[in-house]
Amino acid sequence: MLRIPNPGSDIDGLIRIFYSLVDEFETADSFNLDAMSHCLTKKNFATSSGYMGREALQRSTRKKRSLDPLYNQSKMYSELFRVLGWMQSLPENHLQFRITQLGLHVRSANVQPKRLVEVCLLGMAFPNPQVRVKTNQSIRPFACILRAMSALGGYISRDEMIVGPLTMTNDRSPEEFDKMVRQIKSCRLHSDRLAKALHEVSKKREIRENTLLNYTRFPISVLKWSSWIEATRNVNSYGRPSSFLMLTSGGRYAVSYLEKLRDVRAGDLVGLELCARKALIRLCFYRMLDDAGFDISSVQDTLKLDYESRGPQIENSLGTDARNILFSPFQELSSDEVFAVLPTPGLSVQKSVLLQPLTDHPERVASGRKRGKVHLPLINVSVSQYEGEHDNSAGQNLRKLRKEFNGNVQQIVNKFVDAHKEDNQSQFYPLVSQLFSLIDFPCRHSRAGVNYQRWDAMISDDKESIPIEIKSPGEETFLSVKAVRQALENKIILLSRSSYPTTEAATSLVVGFNYPNDRSEMESLIYDISSVYGIKIGVIDFRSLVTMATKALLLRLFPKRRKLITLIGFADVENP
Amino acid sequence: MSKILKQNAPDRQHRALHYDRGDLSLEWRNHRQAPYVIANGQNLGRTACLRCDNPPCLTFSNEELDIPLFGEFPSDRNDRCCPTGAIMWEDTPTPVVNPDLCIACGVCVRRCPAGAIYLTREMVATVSDEDTNAVAEEAANYEVISYSRSRFHFSKAKRIGSSAEVNDELMSHIYERISNVSEVLSSQPGNILVRNLLLVLELQCGIRRRGDTNIRMDMVLSSLAGQAGTGEIELGTAILDAPRNILDNVAVLISRYHFCKEELLTLVVTLSLPRKRSEYWKVLQDIEKIVGLRIGTISVGALVALVYSNGSLRDISPGMLYYHRDSYSIRDVLDSMGIDHTGISHGHLDVFECQK
């Protein structure tokens, strides 16, 4: 199935990003992805890890570029803008670019900016020499979707879009098009046929169904933005009201516009002689501008000459009047060929912007800030203060596992963690409480529906109670900043309402199944909170908690009390 | 063939004032029609659409969307004044409003420099489009001054009275329209609505770009007096998230960008104020008690009332809109601004205060 580059669904935002690139690079003979990242950062389009501006760019930069979020974002923008014909790669270097004449016109369209964008959307075609997408599909995606909708009674669903127009091999084949329409209409008679067809596409293309659904997000956003479609739920196909996309009057107008034009692709021009190709490039390009409301009177003489001198050749080769062709040169031909006919004015080698990536973000060590996890040492305790708390179901399960694994702590921990990887709140919250009790921090989880108990659990103490914010694996597999915010609020409420005795020095805990893959954002927030409010937030993942509980039960090793009570940041428990 | 061409621009004939008078005011006497142009006590006649270049009723300028104190904030630069796209100008002599999309928020009414947009009996924004004794086409037979001079005079004009009758009926209509035009409440259009209301109330505001998951704060604020701030927009049911999100925003602004806590504006914008028994108010009190932050709260309805009443938030200060369990109503603040709020009954839609 066709994958259109998708850097986001905010089409107006994408266009504004392009405008910024034009303003920065319109006279640059070449610019690269790092230059784009710098430009986007400068114009406040780039953020990373909770930061903005240059800090965002620094934090994003990685030696391995595939892990550099801003670099990848620039790459996606460059793909989209190349597919739209607004930028092109240099013939000699695929990762260096220039703005095209079409792109400059998009920028200059200040009366009805949308119209030229819509023309470019209809002109989008694959395969495309500008982006090296491996595909056996020859398709003009937006034109194909609109035509398919028209043939299907004016409406289509997301899944039908996947199974139908976006999976076509050759959208210009009347036989294949009719077959696709028949297939969709047949699916509409039986609700399970579409699901089956979707599954087959997924299997054949070796792409997961969820991924296929994601591929439709951008086309649907674009079609809505263009006011060619609108969402509806009132169409009674599949035996029940379902979500569909309906053609609007604007969409129907776009279909009638397409029907008046002969769809020509780059491969059709093979037999056309060079001068005729050049004439065709000009005729098609200026027809696009004319359709988008541009005043082309200043080039009419040239176009007239092109039509009179080369029109018959073009008609002979392509079987249609040269003025009625759907073909977008910047979106289908190689950079050097189009540039030779329609160069971007004012380019200067001196204005080239080829930047290197910033050096990796340096370690930041400011007062009070630490990096990395916080070591929680375990110490031997011969007599536990809270022996009675050890006789809970978590303790019993750990004892059973001790027998099963012969006391091997690592295996016990692995097994226990694995057994709870899909727990929901009602299972996980009491479990966490019990595990804390096992390590000599008596803990009770809050009862559901008790609004004033905002925390999920509380380690109660005569002086330093600790509220706990828990995220079960059913809620989120990896912890996020949301839990940090909630832990902060828990502590403030506890200090304010004094439901349990506590001090400002005592931490507020977050417990979740996994630490986030990238801890930096959570870590930064924890230290921001500490420096501004003087409140500590400590984070413990489930594996660490189970490790501590296991070692406490089996080896009488308990975490150092003070270290846990004043924990700030991510806990690092000694490895089993 | 490398010349960059221009799009054809429609031929639009400006309107202008008849009189070169600098001491203008716009006076609303009948809320279902355009206001009168008054000059030194003399009634010149009703106003009309000037057919502006870069019409302010349609778009904000780049400068208006800049937030000086937050140069690096990745704000959404969507320049549309109307959050639903109801007002458009293509082939008609003046902008027109699609009644199916208009939610009567008042932004375009407030933006029109000539005061030529008003609410009809059906509470749809409408552009006054006829030559009047005060304002006519530049090419008319009677003399008019230039369009640009007219714009200048109007920019200095006082606005007297409310541009719409702010009462329960208007507020109920607006809230019903907001829920009917469901796109408004979905993420970005809802944020755009709030941003635009704050902008016309002279509080500079930038909202996070749609889809940007790296920045957590919904909006940054910058008053004309140079006060920086941050805000959260919660038009749905997750109002309890807002106070802790503000705490996060403030911690980031102070720790990373060195703003001063005591001078930061904080504001939660909600559709209707949470009920009195809601934990929301208790949490605001807890936050004030422990970290000394007084988080302001205001409803969309209150913002709209301010817009129609020609009110302003230019002098907003930290804590000004802070109210909590013991003091739920915004009416004191409206009194201090000289805004007549008596048309909205107590607790109506929880716009000015909570019902229970």
Side-chain angles (χ1 to χ4, degrees), chain B residues 252-270:
Chain B
V252 167
L253 288 178
I254 294 171
S255 177
R256 302 182 201 180
Y257 301 101
H258 312 299
F259 286 96
C260 174
K261 187 169 78 175
E262 287 68 33
E263 292 169 8
L264 272 177
L265 295 166
T266 52
L267 187 63
V268 173
V269 180
T270 176

Side-chain angles (χ1 to χ4, degrees), chain A residues 44-45 47 293 496-497 528 533, chain B residues 8 71 209 255-256 286 289:
Chain A
N44 301 337
F45 285 114
T47 55
S496 173
R497 302 183 197 178
D528 291 334
Y533 303 124
Chain B
N8 293 313
R209 273 186 310 128
S255 177
R256 302 182 201 180
D286 294 326
K289 182 177 168 189

Side-chain angles (χ1 to χ4, degrees), chain A residues 285-399:
Chain A
F285 175 66
Y286 286 105
R287 188 196 52 72
M288 287 173 68
L289 293 188
D290 188 35
D291 286 346
F294 279 79
D295 177 8
I296 64 167
S297 54
S298 62
V299 297
Q300 283 289 23
D301 289 344
T302 307
L303 297 177
K304 189 173 173 219
L305 188 61
D306 277 334
Y307 182 69
E308 284 169 359
S309 63
R310 303 295 166 187
Q313 238 177 311
I314 294 168
E315 187 162 346
N316 202 37
S317 176
L318 299 178
T320 187
D321 189 314
R323 292 170 300 190
N324 294 334
I325 290 176
L326 176 64
F327 180 74
S328 177
F330 282 102
Q331 294 177 265
E332 295 191 62
L333 294 176
S334 66
S335 307
D336 45 4
E337 181 175 9
V338 189
F339 193 78
V341 180
L342 297 165
T344 308
L347 293 186
S348 162
V349 172
Q350 278 76 32
K351 299 251 176 88
S352 287
V353 188
L354 299 172
L355 298 182
Q356 297 297 321
L358 294 181
T359 49
D360 276 342
H361 188 257
E363 288 287 304
R364 294 182 64 198
V365 180
S367 60
R369 291 191 186 211
K370 295 176 186 166
R371 292 191 59 79
K373 295 180 189 167
V374 178
H375 183 55
L376 261 186
L378 302 181
I379 56 171
N380 192 272
V381 173
S382 52
V383 178
S384 165
Q385 195 175 355
Y386 303 103
E387 278 295 348
E389 296 285 351
H390 296 184
D391 193 22
N392 57 41
S393 57
Q396 287 157 18
N397 287 337
L398 283 170
R399 288 193 192 92

Side-chain angles (χ1 to χ4, degrees), chain A residues 514-537:
Chain A
N514 288 308
Y515 290 143
N517 284 329
D518 181 354
R519 299 193 315 269
S520 58
E521 200 175 344
M522 269 180 85
E523 210 162 58
S524 295
L525 180 58
I526 287 169
Y527 287 106
D528 291 334
I529 287 169
S530 169
S531 80
V532 172
Y533 303 124
I535 288 175
K536 299 182 181 68
I537 311 286

Side-chain angles (χ1 to χ4, degrees), chain B residues 264-316:
Chain B
L264 272 177
L265 295 166
T266 52
L267 187 63
V268 173
V269 180
T270 176
L271 198 57
S272 297
L273 297 176
R275 294 294 164 97
K276 281 184 189 173
R277 282 190 212 164
S278 164
E279 270 287 297
Y280 177 82
W281 303 110
K282 295 179 207 165
V283 172
L284 291 197
Q285 270 195 313
D286 294 326
I287 290 172
E288 192 209 0
K289 182 177 168 189
I290 300 303
V291 301
L293 202 60
R294 304 174 87 211
I295 297 174
T297 310
I298 195 164
S299 68
V300 165
L303 291 176
V304 171
L306 279 169
V307 167
Y308 282 120
S309 307
N310 291 314
S312 170
L313 289 174
R314 58 167 38 229
D315 295 324
I316 188 172

